[in-house]
Amino acid sequence: MSIRRVERDLGRFRQIVRGKIKKDLRKYMSQGEMIGRQGRKYVSIPLPQIDLPQFRYGTKQGGGVGQGDGDVGEPIGQGDPQQGQGEAGSEPGQHVIEVDITLDELAQILGEELQLPNIEPRGKKNIISKKDKYSGIRRVGPDSLRHFKRTYREALRRQISSGEYNAANPVVVPIREDMRFRSWKETQMPESNAVIIYMMDVSGSMGTEQKELVRITAFWIETWLRSQYKEIEIRYIVHDAAAKEVDQNTFYHIREGGGTKISSAYKLCNKLIDERYSPDEWNIYPFHFSDGDNWGGGDTRECVELLRSQVLPKTNQFCYGQVRSLYGSGRFAHDLEEYLGKEDNLVISEIADRDDIYDAIKDFLGKGK
């Protein structure tokens, strides 16, 4: 089998896999097990394996039932007696294969299926990267950089000018003086980077399933944003009546009691932006997840004012995801919609269960901001 055929067959297989993932993307997005299979650059996705039907013969290769002599109504024999209790079957079950795809491929599939626009960065982080760009030709260099077209052009020019070229027998043989090589120059390019600031309510009404909804949603958010930016920084804030910054593991597993004061998270988010992430240099994406309960005493009004005057003007997009809880009122999403619903860079999405994650991601990332 030729290398070209292997590559062609592999390409067809990858297209089949992509089609299967796109077809069942909503199902995959609702499952958290994929996150556990995530490597540094790859993720394993379980795909059912399709087996073609085929005939199975007995041990004596004697054919199937219905062959040979016999009268109508004659009972069929039970076959040769076998040892054992008879519980184990011989038929194959459904096979599942795990296919590794890169996170870049997964992001591409996500973007195609959800019709996500590419993000147009608004901030440039103040870091300059150096890249080599092949933009010139020189007479010396390694063989790996030899420019064959320019080399033969020089050889042809030399042979014509010296009278050596024979149009009836056009043989062009380059010599050392004809050799040309690609040259490069170092260019400096600003890198466009982003920061994700996750905030989550960890009061008593946010249980394990609510945190799992947040974890799965965050995986898909990061998968898409990492495909759009050179570098991503992620910060984690948890809050009940007070807010604090934590690491990733603590963010998804901490549980605290007490009431909920959402403004504490927004104040800390705004402080992080002011101290570390200038809007002129960074693309800023705060995501807040809560069950919608908020402490009284005017805290919701304070949240609205913080968003309107401080946070929203500094961010590419602010996303609020409201997860359903048996104990949460779900009021906060309606308040944001009432007071800030016309803000172009505010997105509100309600996530009642895992099936809603697909639509929430489309809401959060569908504007291309």
Side-chain angles (χ1 to χ4, degrees):
M1 184 179 293
S2 68
I3 297 297
R4 182 173 297 178
R5 182 177 176 184
V6 170
E7 291 176 348
R8 183 174 66 249
D9 291 344
L10 180 60
R12 290 178 59 195
F13 174 73
R14 303 301 294 183
Q15 289 300 318
I16 292 171
V17 169
R18 284 174 60 90
K20 180 65 177 175
I21 295 172
K22 288 181 69 173
K23 179 181 177 182
D24 296 331
L25 186 61
R26 182 182 287 271
K27 180 187 73 173
Y28 290 126
M29 291 182 70
S30 68
Q31 297 174 352
E33 62 178 6
M34 189 189 308
I35 304 174
R37 294 188 175 98
Q38 180 184 1
R40 185 171 182 179
K41 293 184 179 179
Y42 292 86
V43 63
S44 295
I45 296 183
L47 295 178
Q49 178 178 335
I50 300 174
D51 288 329
L52 297 178
Q54 58 183 353
F55 289 107
R56 294 176 58 84
Y57 298 101
T59 56
K60 297 180 180 179
Q61 302 296 318
V65 174
Q67 297 183 359
D69 298 331
D71 296 328
V72 176
E74 184 176 341
I76 297 175
Q78 298 299 315
D80 297 333
Q82 303 290 329
Q83 294 182 350
Q85 301 300 318
E87 290 88 349
S90 61
E91 297 300 320
Q94 184 183 29
H95 298 291
V96 173
I97 59 173
E98 287 193 357
V99 178
D100 287 343
I101 68 170
T102 67
L103 291 174
D104 286 341
E105 286 181 284
L106 189 60
Q108 187 177 11
I109 292 170
L110 180 69
E112 291 173 359
E113 181 63 18
L114 272 63
Q115 298 181 335
L116 300 178
N118 288 327
I119 292 174
E120 295 183 5
R122 82 170 198 177
K124 297 290 184 182
K125 185 174 183 247
N126 196 20
I127 288 181
I128 302 297
S129 63
K130 296 180 179 180
K131 294 187 177 181
D132 294 334
K133 183 177 181 181
Y134 294 97
S135 57
I137 298 293
R138 58 185 179 183
R139 294 176 177 271
V140 294
D143 287 343
S144 60
L145 295 181
R146 184 185 300 170
H147 196 298
F148 290 96
K149 187 175 181 179
R150 290 293 295 269
T151 295
Y152 279 89
R153 184 188 300 171
E154 292 296 328
L156 178 61
R157 180 182 294 130
R158 175 182 51 79
Q159 290 185 201
I160 292 176
S161 62
S162 64
E164 297 177 11
Y165 182 73
N166 183 0
N169 185 25
V171 177
V172 179
V173 180
I175 61 176
R176 179 177 294 274
E177 287 74 13
D178 300 324
M179 298 298 179
R180 297 294 184 267
F181 302 87
R182 287 179 295 165
S183 65
W184 68 92
K185 66 178 180 179
E186 204 173 66
T187 59
Q188 294 184 338
M189 301 180 63
E191 292 182 354
S192 179
N193 294 336
V195 57
I196 301 173
I197 302 176
Y198 286 131
M199 296 169 278
M200 183 167 62
D201 176 5
V202 293
S203 61
S205 59
M206 289 284 288
T208 302
E209 179 59 22
Q210 285 72 40
K211 291 187 177 68
E212 183 67 7
L213 289 176
V214 174
R215 186 173 75 105
I216 299 172
T217 304
F219 167 79
W220 292 100
I221 290 169
E222 292 168 32
T223 296
W224 178 248
L225 290 180
R226 287 188 189 280
S227 74
Q228 301 291 299
Y229 290 101
K230 177 73 175 178
E231 296 290 342
I232 292 281
E233 284 195 18
I234 303 177
R235 306 293 287 267
Y236 299 92
I237 294 173
V238 295
H239 74 90
D240 46 16
K244 59 185 176 183
E245 187 177 3
V246 296
D247 60 25
Q248 182 187 49
N249 183 66
T250 303
F251 182 80
Y252 290 118
H253 295 94
I254 190 174
R255 181 165 185 174
E256 298 185 356
T260 305
K261 193 173 181 180
I262 295 176
S263 65
S264 64
Y266 292 178
K267 288 177 182 177
L268 182 52
C269 173
N270 189 53
K271 182 181 179 182
L272 284 178
I273 294 172
D274 287 344
E275 292 180 352
R276 181 70 177 81
Y277 304 104
S278 168
D280 294 330
E281 300 174 354
W282 287 84
N283 297 277
I284 304 169
Y285 296 91
F287 289 86
H288 179 220
F289 299 94
S290 170
D291 60 5
D293 251 352
N294 196 24
W295 180 66
D299 193 69
T300 295
R301 288 195 300 273
E302 186 172 359
C303 290
V304 169
E305 184 57 31
L306 275 168
L307 289 175
R308 179 185 286 125
S309 63
Q310 297 290 328
V311 180
L312 289 179
K314 302 170 185 176
T315 60
N316 292 50
Q317 186 167 278
F318 185 100
C319 298
Y320 174 68
Q322 186 160 286
V323 295
R324 179 176 294 176
S325 166
L326 293 175
Y327 308 101
S329 67
R331 179 63 197 172
F332 193 68
H334 300 290
D335 291 334
L336 288 182
E337 187 66 45
E338 179 180 354
Y339 295 109
L340 298 172
K342 295 183 180 180
E343 296 290 338
D344 186 55
N345 62 336
L346 173 66
V347 178
I348 303 165
S349 188
E350 298 193 42
I351 311 171
D353 52 38
R354 297 189 181 206
D355 288 337
D356 290 337
I357 292 174
Y358 181 99
D359 298 316
I361 294 298
K362 193 165 186 177
D363 290 340
F364 290 155
L365 304 176
K367 289 187 175 183
K369 290 185 174 293

